[in-house]
Amino acid sequence: MGSIKAIITGVAGYVPDEILTNKDMEKLVETSDEWIQSRTGIKQRHIERDPDKATSDLVVGAINKLVEKTGLDVLEIDMIIVATITGDHTFPDTANIVASKIGAKNAFGYDINAACSGFIFSLVTASKFIETGTYKKILVAGADQMSSILDYEDRTTCILFGDGGGVVLLEPNQEPDGGGIHDAVLRGDGEGAAYLHMKAGGSKKPTTVETVMAREHFVYQEGRVVFKAAIKGMSESISTLLEKNNLDIADIDYLIPHQANKRILYGVADYIGFPREKVLINIENYGNTTAGTIPLCLSDFEGNFKKGDKLIITAFGGGFTWGAVLVEWAY
Ligand code: ACO
């Protein structure tokens, strides 16, 4: 039982067609392309404008691409985990809506809410169902329709985020040295909630006319605190993960960080002495898609990976939540 490893056997990303460039942002709030690019590395983000579309459609878009690429039979899917903070509804979860939309009649699922760390938390959770032999095909998605919770009058947050996501297929490793999700360091600290949250809409402060008028149904963030905590959290979890597995930075082929801000990503690389050229970055095209950034990044750079490559995937997000996962690429 203990010898089964979970391997990623396919990946796909999806973003809505419409693009909001930094020039477009200049028309919404007092900002500039130069400020956004120099402070964050972001050039544009994708936005869903169709009022009938929700996060489940981002996930379905990614799954449809995955099915096309891999020939996956949706009836063989056992389980779907969707990492998101912008589920279609407060309840029910989005994963079972996705299952119905794609016709995965034999699957069940649930959502995991760990903000920007949601995808790595979900990946590790799913890998345990594979390792125990419980399930054989699990879809792990990360997606957020951030435009649904952004205040496009708040220049400190609206320029950062975009809509999008992706999905990976997890299956049992069929070969003795076939790679897999090897190990992880996952962390959380509820004290961090003060610095990155939505003020109203939960049980602590249910939505009322007053909360809506006060614009409390949007993302609230104290950027400088999050910035510093993100560099510290991701750097420390990567170092702990390397130490636990007797690995050096030179053993790692690529670092796939949650795409929060280019300065944060280079900050992490420089802090731990990781070569910047091995840090995979695509934030310029999508902004921060919260739970969506890591599968989108894996999808964009899939062509770079070869079997046996050692990747570290790392994230930091609201909660605070953070961590790092050691993955050996399997194809
Ligand atoms: N355009 C122009 N000026 C702006 C903008 C904007 N969009 N936003 C803020 N400013 C101004 C501020 O008002 C401030 O002006 P002041 O000095 O007159 O008060 C000035 O720019 C500097 O503001 P800071 O907040 O100090 O700017 P900073 O360099 O820290 O950059 C940023 C802000 C980009 C939000 C940064 O703090 C950051 O990236 N934090 C991490 C946030 C993050 O990535 N969160 C995502 C969720 S969690 C995660 O994914 C890790």
Side-chain angles (χ1 to χ4, degrees):
M1 193 173 93
S3 62
I4 304 174
K5 285 265 164 126
I7 45 171
I8 295 174
T9 56
V11 58
Y14 179 84
V15 286
D17 291 335
E18 184 157 342
I19 290 172
L20 260 188
T21 63
N22 290 348
K23 286 281 169 205
D24 295 325
M25 300 307 295
E26 288 177 4
K27 293 175 202 142
L28 296 174
V29 288
E30 200 183 325
T31 190
S32 67
D33 176 41
E34 193 281 322
W35 193 96
I36 299 172
Q37 284 209 47
S38 63
R39 297 295 178 116
T40 71
I42 298 166
K43 292 183 180 164
Q44 61 173 44
R45 66 290 289 145
H46 290 248
I47 299 291
E48 183 55 78
R49 292 272 191 208
D50 184 343
D52 293 328
K53 292 276 173 70
T55 295
S56 63
D57 299 295
L58 298 173
V59 178
V60 169
I63 294 174
N64 286 341
K65 284 189 182 177
L66 183 82
V67 166
E68 204 174 298
K69 274 169 73 176
T70 61
L72 170 70
D73 177 354
V74 293
L75 294 176
E76 289 184 2
I77 301 165
D78 299 304
M79 182 182 190
I80 300 175
I81 300 182
V82 176
T84 188
I85 57 165
T86 54
D88 291 19
H89 310 278
T90 301
F91 82 92
D93 67 286
T94 301
N96 291 295
I97 294 172
V98 166
S100 292
K101 283 188 176 180
I102 63 166
K105 290 187 169 43
N106 300 312
F108 81 104
Y110 50 79
D111 297 356
I112 287 184
N113 177 335
C116 302
S117 309
F119 182 78
I120 62 168
F121 282 22
S122 302
L123 188 68
V124 173
T125 303
S127 74
K128 301 302 168 193
F129 281 109
I130 299 278
E131 285 171 15
T132 54
T134 312
Y135 300 121
K136 295 212 158 33
K137 287 187 197 289
I138 305 181
L139 291 180
V140 182
D144 273 298
Q145 191 166 303
M146 292 303 291
S147 60
S148 65
I149 57 167
L150 286 179
D151 183 351
Y152 285 97
E153 293 182 12
D154 175 9
R155 68 177 182 172
T156 68
T157 50
C158 73
I159 54 110
L160 294 171
F161 297 93
D163 299 343
V167 64
V168 299
L169 175 61
L170 276 196
E171 295 185 80
N173 182 356
Q174 307 288 347
E175 302 168 30
D177 298 314
I181 314 290
H182 284 316
D183 196 14
V185 172
L186 304 179
R187 299 276 185 260
D189 176 10
E191 304 266 323
Y195 308 106
L196 183 51
H197 61 265
M198 191 186 288
K199 294 198 177 301
S203 56
K204 188 175 177 194
K205 195 174 195 185
T207 308
T208 61
V209 171
E210 288 74 26
T211 64
V212 173
M213 294 304 286
R215 309 182 80 75
E216 290 180 339
H217 53 299
F218 295 124
V219 172
Y220 169 84
Q221 174 173 250
E222 293 181 28
R224 285 182 200 184
V225 180
V226 176
F227 190 97
K228 284 188 196 149
I231 293 181
K232 187 166 179 286
M234 287 194 274
S235 301
E236 286 180 359
S237 52
I238 294 166
S239 299
T240 307
L241 186 65
L242 288 171
E243 205 178 303
K244 266 180 84 188
N245 289 277
N246 294 314
L247 291 169
D248 292 322
I249 279 163
D251 297 318
I252 304 303
D253 296 287
Y254 295 104
L255 181 65
I256 296 105
H258 160 57
Q259 310 284 308
N261 175 326
K262 203 170 190 172
R263 288 190 298 145
I264 291 179
L265 309 191
Y266 284 148
V268 171
D270 296 350
Y271 193 87
I272 61 170
F274 198 91
R276 283 188 175 196
E277 62 276 13
K278 288 187 180 181
V279 182
L280 302 186
I281 297 181
N282 62 0
I283 192 171
E284 63 274 15
N285 297 324
Y286 309 115
N288 180 348
T289 56
T290 303
T293 69
I294 290 169
L296 260 180
C297 200
L298 288 173
S299 170
D300 280 3
F301 290 99
E302 185 188 19
N304 294 42
F305 307 144
K306 55 185 191 313
K307 190 172 176 176
D309 276 355
K310 287 196 178 61
L311 320 180
I312 287 187
I313 304 177
T314 186
F316 184 95
F320 288 147
T321 52
W322 69 97
V325 187
L326 176 64
V327 176
E328 189 179 333
W329 201 250
Y331 62 95

